[in-house]
Amino acid sequence: MIATRRTIPPQGRASGRSRRAPDPGIARHATGTTMIDLQPHLGTPIEGRNGQFYYRGDESRVGLYEYYLAGIRHGALASWTATLARRARELARRGVRYHVVVVPGAHVACPEDLPDDLRGRIKAPFPVLRAALAGTDGVRLHYALPDLVPGDADPGDPILHRTYRRNDTHWTEYGAYRNYLTVCRAIARDLDVRVVEPADVTFATKQAFGDLSILRQPEGQPETIPLAVIRGRHRAHTVSRNTTVLRNRVIRTRSDTAPATAALIFHDSYATAQAKFWARSFGRTTFAGVTHRVYLDAVERERPDVVISIMAEHRLFEWPNDHDHWTFADDFESDCRSPAGRRTADVMVLYRQQKVAAAADAAAGIAAERGFGAYHARVAAQALVGAHRFEDALAMAMTALSLDRDSPSNLWMAAYAALYAGKPQDALTLATWAAGAEPHHGAWTELLASILIGLGRREDAALVLERAVAVIDDDPALWRLAAEMREAGGRPGPARQARAMAEALTSQETVAARAFAA
């Protein structure tokens, strides 16, 4: 068997917990579907002035609170800069326009109500990213802050309602609409869209609790929030929807009052308040969230005229994950409602909690469950590899592949399992097919190059990697491998350059600290 440091299977703690026992990290959806419980990740809200609450994040680890104080890390900034530029190149090559909407959190949008110990200390990451991307072709950045703050508003367009929630982590529908109007008008300069103009929208009010108020003990009070009502001459209807175990949801809508222009919107929860407007602006709209990734396989299939990323500003403190080894079909169109789907949901939640042995045990007998398909086999194979049950993993991975031979995710999983089952030549063949199926995805190419290196085919690995980093320049794993191959090929200068790229994309040093040191 060939194993390198690049292909070590994921490790996890063994767990004696029965797969049917309750677990604090697992929530059960109303449909009976197992889902990941987000409440532990919200943390205790920070109480500010005038009834304003601020999201803290998971208090068991370094999180949002600390990031806002320290500022964006250099590796995250470099990764977002490279990833957004690569996305724009790939989308432009397909004739697709790309717009990125970044929505500030209350820490930035409501600074006047911050508690005294936080006032003047918040370091917003977007201005740093905007400066880093200056001059980059194809990336149209939209910062929502001017649409939310009275001081930045156009005197001819005064802010009439509250734009940000006091007891919730999100903006109001009024704030969301103001930003929609700005962005949609910008898109309309290049594409045929129907803008939902102010004359077509009125705002009612209601009392509402928020995701921060319900975490207080005792529970906080409701607040009055504005709700948008759109006049009937703008229409849209839902064609299909699917929700998965990871709380991902894909919704496809149609509008017979909008032009035939198609939009693909990757978003997080901030898009919830905007969706009604976007659905009425395009003839065909696909919403995919929660994610800050752009799935090129979805772009190939949906064939949109425009791709829009809508994301919270605090996502910039994290690293982008465009080269994760799951496809759009895995993350958004998978079944978790059938008996096989519900069993797979249990496996996935346990696996994400790093309870790998329990996840593998939960996968036992899954093929006999009603509704069993390629995705269920793919997830089971992942859990079995993590538990070092390589022969079982390979059998399950090949089952997934037999049910869906076109999926690069299934090819990757079969190659991964074959490698650890001691069948490197089979792994090489499968990994080659995966990389060929989606050549602009780093995970598939990384595995292929690693297998070639393990087989001693360094020249072939070097060729694969040089071609890859020329177009996938935002994946540090590829740069590390390229540095190794350049060094082995007697090219120390280019090797240093590759190592520098990998280090830049992974640096934990904050931008503020680096600037201070300079």
Side-chain angles (χ1 to χ4, degrees), residues 240 371 471:
S240 65
V471 292

Side-chain angles (χ1 to χ4, degrees), residues 6-24:
R6 292 163 291 275
T7 55
I8 295 173
Q11 303 294 315
R13 297 185 303 273
S15 171
R17 185 188 301 272
S18 165
R19 67 181 175 86
R20 302 199 181 277
D23 188 283

Side-chain angles (χ1 to χ4, degrees), residues 98-143:
Y98 185 40
H99 290 259
V100 181
V101 181
V102 179
V103 187
H107 303 72
V108 178
C110 307
E112 69 281 358
D113 289 327
L114 282 166
D116 290 341
D117 62 331
L118 293 180
R119 292 169 72 87
R121 299 177 62 197
I122 300 298
K123 298 179 177 66
F126 179 83
V128 185
L129 176 68
R130 179 170 51 196
L133 279 168
T136 302
D137 292 334
V139 182
R140 298 163 178 86
L141 292 175
H142 305 274
Y143 195 29

Side-chain angles (χ1 to χ4, degrees), residues 304-322:
D305 299 292
V306 60
V307 168
I308 306 172
S309 291
I310 302 174
M311 55 188 285
E313 185 178 23
H314 66 75
R315 303 277 183 187
L316 299 176
F317 291 127
E318 307 167 11
W319 268 251
N321 64 338
D322 283 32

Side-chain angles (χ1 to χ4, degrees), residues 110-368:
C110 307
E112 69 281 358
D113 289 327
L114 282 166
D116 290 341
D117 62 331
L118 293 180
R119 292 169 72 87
R121 299 177 62 197
I122 300 298
K123 298 179 177 66
F126 179 83
V128 185
L129 176 68
R130 179 170 51 196
L133 279 168
T136 302
D137 292 334
V139 182
R140 298 163 178 86
L141 292 175
H142 305 274
Y143 195 29
L145 186 61
D147 302 313
L148 304 177
V149 179
D152 293 338
D154 183 343
D157 181 26
I159 292 179
L160 303 177
H161 304 278
R162 186 162 180 83
T163 60
Y164 221 94
R165 298 284 302 272
R166 289 193 182 278
N167 64 13
D168 196 276
T169 55
H170 299 89
W171 50 11
T172 65
E173 286 194 6
Y174 179 69
Y177 173 69
R178 288 180 61 85
N179 173 253
Y180 154 82
L181 201 58
T182 298
V183 178
C184 196
R185 285 172 174 171
I187 294 173
R189 290 196 283 268
D190 298 319
L191 293 172
D192 189 15
V193 303
R194 186 172 191 186
V195 181
V196 180
E197 296 287 358
D200 296 315
V201 182
T202 59
F203 286 89
T205 60
K206 77 165 189 175
Q207 292 287 299
F209 291 94
D211 59 10
L212 294 179
S213 65
I214 62 175
L215 295 179
R216 298 188 67 211
Q217 296 295 333
E219 186 173 309
Q221 296 298 311
E223 64 173 319
T224 302
I225 61 172
L227 295 177
V229 180
I230 303 174
R231 299 186 190 279
R233 71 189 193 94
H234 293 275
R235 296 187 299 272
H237 66 278
T238 299
V239 175
S240 65
R241 70 171 64 209
N242 186 58
T243 302
T244 74
V245 61
L246 301 178
R247 293 183 182 265
N248 288 343
R249 177 179 297 171
V250 59
I251 301 175
R252 293 180 173 86
T253 66
R254 299 288 185 273
S255 173
D256 61 2
T257 57
T261 307
L264 176 54
I265 301 177
F266 296 105
H267 63 85
D268 60 19
S269 55
Y270 277 90
T272 302
Q274 279 192 338
K276 64 173 74 175
F277 309 116
W278 290 119
R280 290 164 171 80
S281 301
F282 305 101
R284 178 167 58 90
T285 309
T286 300
F287 297 92
V290 172
T291 185
H292 52 61
R293 176 179 169 185
V294 166
Y295 293 77
L296 292 177
D297 53 330
V299 174
E300 294 285 356
R301 197 173 65 192
E302 299 289 332
R303 299 194 177 279
D305 299 292
V306 60
V307 168
I308 306 172
S309 291
I310 302 174
M311 55 188 285
E313 185 178 23
H314 66 75
R315 303 277 183 187
L316 299 176
F317 291 127
E318 307 167 11
W319 268 251
N321 64 338
D322 283 32
H323 302 295
D324 189 60
H325 52 75
W326 301 90
T327 63
F328 182 81
D330 294 332
D331 283 345
F332 288 93
E333 297 183 316
S334 53
D335 159 53
C336 60
R337 293 177 180 270
S338 70
R342 290 195 293 271
R343 177 79 74 85
T344 302
D346 289 342
V347 174
M348 178 61 82
V349 170
L350 290 167
Y351 184 80
R352 290 292 178 109
Q353 293 174 331
Q354 297 186 341
K355 299 172 182 176
V356 181
D361 290 343
I366 194 171

